[in-house]
Amino acid sequence: MSPASPSLHLRLTTFLLAATLGSSGCAYGTFITGSRQQVLFKSNPEGAVVKVNGEEVGKTPVATKLTRKHDAFVELEKPGCKKKELTLDSTISPVIFANIFPFFIAGLALGCLFDFSSGGAYKLDPDQVYANLDCDEPPKPSVLPPTQ
């Protein structure tokens, strides 16, 4: 059996180097931002129950991590107040374009595929929710006046 020709070694080394460099652009969105995003919920008056997609996450003020990949339906409820409903929109995050940085098709394809499947290619908007609840009684000021 004859040893492999130097040109075969050179082609194999070049292929492995290109594949390694090309895949180094994989999944910037997932590694930089993660597949979940922290969202802060506040209300006036405070103490409203926050439900995301029907699941209670706490009372305002509260921060929770939500998946970036899908829209989130949010409800804020407090006795004596009208329920407030809103949607956090899942949109494509600009961080996805970091996959293009290495300028290799393999990195772009693999990185984008991974980011879109994991949710790292998306962001939730807004990432802070402040709700003024319409209550039977006027809400108390959220900042107390200075004492004399």
Side-chain angles (χ1 to χ4, degrees):
M1 188 187 273
S2 66
S5 69
S7 65
L8 179 61
H9 283 299
L10 181 60
R11 284 187 281 179
L12 183 59
T13 302
T14 303
F15 171 77
L16 291 174
L17 180 61
T20 301
L21 290 174
S23 64
S24 67
C26 290
Y28 278 116
T30 302
F31 293 129
I32 292 171
T33 62
S35 61
R36 298 172 63 80
Q37 176 179 331
Q38 183 162 307
V39 179
L40 175 64
F41 297 95
K42 293 182 178 181
S43 68
N44 186 21
E46 291 183 344
V49 173
V50 179
K51 293 181 182 177
V52 178
N53 299 325
E55 184 179 325
E56 187 174 323
V57 296
K59 292 184 178 183
T60 60
V62 65
T64 188
K65 288 201 170 213
L66 304 174
T67 182
R68 296 172 177 273
K69 194 172 182 179
H70 304 287
D71 292 350
F73 179 70
V74 178
E75 300 169 277
L76 291 103
E77 296 179 282
K78 184 168 176 89
C81 302
K82 290 183 183 175
K83 183 193 306 187
K84 186 92 164 185
E85 299 176 337
L86 59 116
T87 301
L88 302 179
D89 296 317
S90 176
T91 58
I92 294 177
S93 173
V95 77
I96 189 70
F97 297 108
N99 288 312
I100 298 170
F101 182 72
F103 304 107
F104 289 100
I105 299 301
L108 175 63
L110 291 174
C112 287
L113 179 65
F114 190 78
D115 283 345
F116 280 105
S117 65
S118 72
Y122 303 95
K123 66 177 181 155
L124 291 172
D125 191 39
D127 62 356
Q128 292 187 19
V129 174
Y130 185 82
N132 277 315
L133 301 177
D134 185 15
C135 301
D136 297 335
E137 295 181 22
K140 297 177 184 174
S142 56
V143 179
L144 297 175
T147 56
Q148 305 233 5

